[in-house]
Amino acid sequence: MVKKNQTLGEFIIENQQAFPYSSGELSRLIRSLRLAAKVVNHEVNKAGLVDILGLHGDTNIQGEDQQKLDVYANETFIQTLINREIVCGIASEENDDFITISGKNNDNKNKYVVLMDPLDGSSNIDVNVSVGTIFSIYRRVTPIGTPVTKEDFLQPGNQQVAAGYIIYGTSTMLVYTTGCGVNGFTLNPALGSWYLSHPDMKFPENGSIYSMNEGNYVHFPEGVKKYIKYCQEEKEDRPYTSRYIGSMVSDIHRNMIKGGIFIYPKSSKANNGKLRLLYECNPMAFIVEQAGGKATDGFNRIMDIQPKELHERAPFFCGSKNMVNKAEEFMRKYS
Ligand code: AHG
Ligand code: MN
Ligand code: MN
């Protein structure tokens, strides 16, 4: 029978049953991320009211200091994961070092670590433009029950167990993969429930949108400059449309639905670009590949890069397979 209005909770249960030996730990972890996302969503939606309600820079009704939203999002996700004792470690774009989570008896029997960008595109908050959260989940490589080490976090993206993003947009969506395709859920704010609205998302193989910060044009590598000119050429299927929100989650989400390419290349100012390999590129690459798209650094697969540092950056070319292939052609030719 065709199921209608399936919730994320139902979806998780159904899919867990497909793996008879799974312990349910990953499902519980996704559920806690779902909860934190709702809390952050509530706060993001209030952002425009902060001045009107006189909360900013002061203490709020609970007597807590009003925080910047990215700090708030960071603390919310971390605290939710700590409260539910569901992971053994967390690394966040907002924290210098990773966090070790110990269990009740100072041990921790959990096997997963989470890496995240709690608020992506945070400069868009002030102007009422979509922002997001990105998360990435790995199985630890050091023995269960011992404190996590850097090694547990510095794994290549191809070791990800799950990854997802939340987009706080005109509606709020949670999109994630556990390696069996990509599914998108939309939050019904009145009920606080997420409904499967975008089952089995597919990245169109071709597209007509290119997304990059062309303000950096003079600093771009020659291959990217030439590719931009290619996008702008007057041909049967071109020029392409330029769309850049400046919030990667939103830019890639749109391109995944409509077909397009997102590029944040290296530049003469930043040798590895801006985006962080562990918190931004790898999780988005996993989702994009699972939807049939492609993600590289202009030459090599993003998820095969061996990370050396927690906050390492990487050039990022991601989107419709044929468009990424074309951009790579230019990179190879003009490197
Ligand atoms: P964050 O808000 O987590 O620091 O990330 C912002 C990122 C990404 O979302 C976006 O694509 C990019 O920065 C925009 O950078 P530019 O302003 O340089 O275009
Ligand atoms: Mn970001
Ligand atoms: Mn961020």
Side-chain angles (χ1 to χ4, degrees):
M1 219 187 339
V2 180
K3 290 193 177 150
K4 282 189 181 163
N5 302 333
Q6 194 180 18
T7 65
L8 175 55
E10 290 162 358
F11 181 88
I12 290 173
I13 291 168
E14 194 175 297
N15 283 277
Q16 195 185 311
Q17 279 162 356
F19 301 100
Y21 301 111
S22 84
S23 64
E25 205 172 316
L26 183 61
S27 303
R28 289 203 300 281
L29 175 44
I30 306 257
R31 282 197 204 101
S32 42
L33 293 168
R34 165 185 80 172
L35 170 67
K38 276 198 278 192
V39 177
V40 171
N41 176 63
H42 184 67
E43 207 61 27
V44 166
N45 282 343
K46 285 194 311 200
L49 284 169
V50 162
D51 285 341
I52 299 167
L53 299 178
L55 297 177
H56 189 66
D58 211 340
T59 49
N60 66 14
I61 215 140
Q62 287 91 32
E64 299 153 339
D65 286 334
Q66 195 64 37
Q67 293 167 329
K68 276 183 73 186
L69 268 171
D70 37 14
V71 177
Y72 180 86
N74 192 39
E75 285 178 0
T76 303
F77 276 93
I78 291 174
Q79 203 55 55
T80 308
L81 293 169
I82 290 177
N83 289 352
R84 294 203 167 186
E85 295 188 19
I86 197 68
V87 292
C88 48
I90 304 169
S92 163
E93 185 196 274
E94 295 292 333
N95 295 67
D96 291 343
D97 209 350
F98 62 84
I99 300 168
T100 307
I101 302 173
S102 51
K104 282 195 190 78
N105 307 315
N106 242 358
D107 63 350
N108 188 319
K109 297 278 183 276
N110 294 319
K111 57 175 174 285
Y112 295 113
V113 294
V114 170
L115 293 86
M116 63 174 179
D117 175 358
L119 207 69
D120 174 67
S122 43
S123 67
N124 280 319
I125 279 280
D126 296 347
V127 288
N128 210 355
V129 171
S130 304
V131 290
T133 295
I134 310 170
F135 61 88
S136 170
I137 301 171
Y138 293 81
R139 213 169 271 119
R140 63 181 302 175
V141 289
T142 53
I144 290 177
T146 62
V148 285
T149 69
K150 222 178 191 177
E151 231 189 307
D152 295 312
F153 299 94
L154 297 183
Q155 300 188 52
N158 56 31
Q159 295 301 306
Q160 286 174 103
V161 172
Y165 61 79
I166 296 113
I167 173 166
Y168 311 99
T170 41
S171 51
T172 296
M173 280 188 73
L174 192 157
V175 174
Y176 80 101
T177 181
T178 52
C180 311
V182 180
N183 292 285
F185 300 81
T186 303
L187 178 66
N188 178 336
L191 301 177
S193 305
W194 305 83
Y195 289 96
L196 179 60
S197 52
H198 295 63
D200 200 15
M201 293 176 82
K202 293 286 176 221
F203 219 118
E205 282 202 349
N206 296 295
S208 57
I209 296 173
Y210 72 103
S211 315
M212 57 192 96
N213 187 344
E214 284 183 71
N216 294 328
Y217 184 86
V218 294
H219 301 288
F220 282 166
E222 201 51 30
V224 174
K225 285 183 180 165
K226 289 282 196 300
Y227 179 68
I228 292 175
K229 290 299 162 209
Y230 167 89
C231 294
Q232 296 170 342
E233 251 170 20
E234 192 71 43
K235 293 280 170 190
E236 215 175 291
D237 61 337
R238 282 172 279 148
Y240 296 154
T241 300
S242 165
R243 289 280 182 273
Y244 189 73
I245 298 170
S247 170
M248 183 185 56
V249 166
S250 319
D251 277 308
I252 293 179
H253 180 75
R254 179 206 51 240
N255 289 358
M256 183 149 75
I257 290 171
K258 295 195 166 180
I261 185 168
F262 172 92
I263 301 181
Y264 207 108
K266 71 173 197 172
S267 70
S268 52
K269 288 188 297 185
N271 202 30
N272 285 316
K274 173 184 184 186
L275 299 176
R276 278 131 296 205
L277 176 62
L278 296 180
Y279 314 114
E280 293 171 314
C281 305
N282 270 337
M284 293 314 274
F286 191 22
I287 296 162
V288 165
E289 281 194 11
Q290 281 294 316
K294 190 170 177 182
T296 76
D297 65 359
F299 301 94
N300 302 303
R301 188 179 181 221
I302 278 290
M303 289 205 287
D304 288 340
I305 299 175
Q306 174 59 54
K308 293 186 184 68
E309 296 294 333
L310 277 181
H311 295 279
E312 168 172 343
R313 296 168 197 265
F316 199 40
F317 292 61
C318 149
S320 293
K321 202 179 255 171
N322 293 335
M323 296 181 87
V324 174
N325 286 340
K326 184 49 104 181
E328 282 185 322
E329 238 176 81
F330 280 94
M331 291 303 287
R332 278 194 302 271
K333 191 165 169 196
Y334 295 100
S335 70

